Amino acid sequence: MLVTNITYKRVFQLALTLLLAGCATDTENRRSDTLAAVMPQNKVPSAPKPVVKAAVSLPPAQSFSQPVSVPAPAYSARTLTGIYAYSQPVHDFIRHMVQKHGFSETYLNGLFSQATRLDSVIRLETAPRGHGPAKPGVWTRYRSKFLTDQHISHGVQFWIDNADIIQKASATYGVDPEYIVAIIGVETYFGRNVGKTGTFNALATLAFDTPRRTKFFTSELENFLLMTREEGFDPLEPVGSWAGAMGLGQFMPSSFRSLAVDFDHDGVRDLWNQKDAIGSVANYFSHSGWQRSRPVARQAKGGNAKSTIALSTYQGNEHWQVYPNFKVIKRYNNSNNYAMAVHQLAQAIKQSYAAKQGPALVMEQGGR
């Protein structure tokens, strides 16, 4: 749940309720690397604070879960100043946001005048990429980061602490619960590592100060500003990874807008909140084609079939037959090592969870 002024929120909700009497409400709207050493909790210190909104009249078709935002008064300037004052790409971007999405030019001038160029982000994005054949044991090293006793025990505890909401998400979206848990485990260590880089400054730096993926990050910055307007966030509040991914599930802004869900029905999609994050990860898997109770991967004797992959260990390659659900995991991160880590962590957590919960959890039949 976002950190917010409870009294103000109740007054604001009451005012909107009176304005919206008789209107339908969409309570499950789907508009979609630094360690944060905090225990998973419903309120995360790095969660964005909602922008204070002025009282406005909403059209009859507007649902309460899609609040109309008024730009924060602090972000207002007649001209662009600061590090981007003479940046033509930024001026062009502001013009685009005004003409296409109806943003206030003075609001965006004020916001971008407060932007900070992040040298650490530039270094990470422009670091030389490896060339040539990978060294043996890539999979062994990768696996050792996630298939640890700590990851498994924390995953079991995360499942126990959120059993009801995980079960609800699993049933709602048709996704096996252990994979919902494992994704959050691999992405943010069950909420302990959500990142603490300001998302607006990261995306602005990547869009306007690095050459490799300018088009992609400019699009993500556009989606980020739309997201903050739709959800009522102060754009300088959200934090995440250096590349702009946010929350327990590390959604980029475009994925947030299309696939994040308000799973606790409080009127805000908040991926720093465990309930919304769990529901949103399940929704992401569902939209990517997840098949519940179907195989993900099985170890194979050889690698001749098209459906097999080879993972490098110090003793040679492991060969695995993979199924459509494996490709769904790769929609999250297009890496065989990543997808296999999620799969194996999911199975390890499930086995340990079942041992603690006993017959309450039906064990997998035939292995996945």
Side-chain angles (χ1 to χ4, degrees):
M1 182 180 296
L2 292 170
V3 180
T4 186
N5 185 313
I6 300 300
T7 301
Y8 175 82
K9 184 175 180 180
R10 289 176 178 170
V11 171
F12 181 67
Q13 288 179 336
L14 176 60
L16 279 180
T17 301
L18 294 174
L19 285 169
L20 295 173
C23 297
T25 300
D26 178 9
T27 59
E28 194 170 275
N29 174 39
R30 297 197 177 106
R31 304 183 309 266
S32 230
D33 288 309
T34 322
L35 285 178
V38 295
M39 295 295 290
Q41 50 191 347
N42 284 338
K43 290 185 178 180
V44 181
S46 56
K49 300 174 183 177
V51 172
V52 175
K53 309 181 184 89
V56 292
S57 298
L58 304 181
Q62 185 86 35
S63 71
F64 175 70
S65 62
Q66 295 174 310
V68 173
S69 302
V70 175
Y75 307 131
S76 179
R78 296 184 63 181
T79 59
L80 179 61
T81 61
I83 62 171
Y84 292 124
Y86 303 104
S87 170
Q88 190 60 47
V90 174
H91 283 278
D92 292 342
F93 178 80
I94 290 175
R95 187 179 305 110
H96 166 78
M97 298 300 290
V98 171
Q99 294 175 351
K100 183 174 181 179
H101 301 297
F103 277 82
S104 162
E105 184 176 359
T106 58
Y107 166 67
L108 292 178
N109 283 340
L111 177 61
F112 277 93
S113 292
Q114 296 191 35
T116 300
R117 181 180 291 114
L118 302 180
D119 293 336
S120 60
V121 169
I122 295 174
R123 287 194 298 271
L124 288 164
E125 174 63 9
T126 60
R129 268 56 184 176
H131 298 286
K135 295 180 180 179
V138 172
W139 164 237
T140 303
R141 293 188 295 274
Y142 193 92
R143 184 183 189 278
S144 68
K145 297 178 182 179
F146 302 104
L147 270 292
T148 67
D149 292 341
Q150 290 80 8
H151 269 82
I152 296 167
S153 63
H154 286 312
V156 171
Q157 191 60 51
F158 182 86
W159 194 340
I160 292 172
D161 292 342
N162 297 279
D164 291 343
I165 201 72
I166 290 170
Q167 178 55 37
K168 179 183 176 184
S170 176
T172 301
Y173 297 109
V175 178
D176 302 85
E178 62 270 25
Y179 289 92
I180 301 172
V181 175
I183 280 285
I184 295 174
V186 170
E187 287 293 333
T188 60
Y189 198 16
F190 312 104
R192 290 166 171 79
N193 181 9
V194 297
K196 50 186 179 183
T197 303
T199 302
F200 171 73
N201 287 322
L203 291 173
T205 299
L206 289 161
F208 304 122
D209 297 297
T210 65
R212 193 168 69 90
R213 295 185 287 177
T214 297
K215 184 176 180 180
F216 170 75
F217 285 116
T218 301
S219 176
E220 289 300 332
L221 179 60
E222 178 177 359
N223 276 286
F224 175 76
L225 292 178
L226 290 168
M227 179 200 88
T228 58
R229 185 172 68 176
E230 292 161 356
E231 302 302 322
F233 296 167
D234 179 336
L236 295 186
E237 288 289 338
V239 300
S241 77
W242 67 268
M246 299 171 291
L248 274 71
Q250 293 290 278
F251 279 31
M252 293 297 289
S254 57
S255 295
F256 187 114
R257 295 187 66 229
S258 62
L259 296 171
V261 297
D262 175 19
F263 210 55
D264 61 1
H265 309 301
D266 68 349
V268 180
R269 295 182 297 171
D270 173 11
L271 295 186
W272 296 263
N273 171 285
Q274 291 178 339
K275 294 180 180 180
D276 285 1
I278 289 166
S280 298
V281 168
N283 188 40
Y284 193 112
F285 268 42
S286 177
H287 273 260
S288 298
W290 186 265
Q291 301 172 18
R292 181 164 184 161
S293 300
R294 300 299 298 167
V296 174
R298 291 193 177 100
Q299 197 153 10
K301 293 182 179 180
N304 295 325
K306 290 183 179 180
S307 60
T308 61
I309 62 171
L311 301 178
S312 173
T313 76
Y314 292 120
Q315 291 74 40
N317 286 338
E318 287 181 2
H319 294 94
W320 291 80
Q321 182 179 359
V322 298
Y323 299 89
N325 278 346
F326 189 85
K327 296 179 180 179
V328 170
I329 300 174
K330 289 182 67 176
R331 292 286 300 275
Y332 218 103
N333 184 320
N334 190 27
S335 160
N336 286 335
N337 289 326
Y338 175 91
M340 187 59 69
V342 170
H343 168 60
Q344 293 192 6
L345 181 61
Q347 292 304 306
I349 291 172
K350 181 177 181 178
Q351 183 178 7
S352 184
Y353 180 77
K356 285 181 176 292
Q357 300 300 101
L361 182 70
V362 178
M363 289 299 293
E364 144 188 60
Q365 298 296 318
R368 281 203 291 273

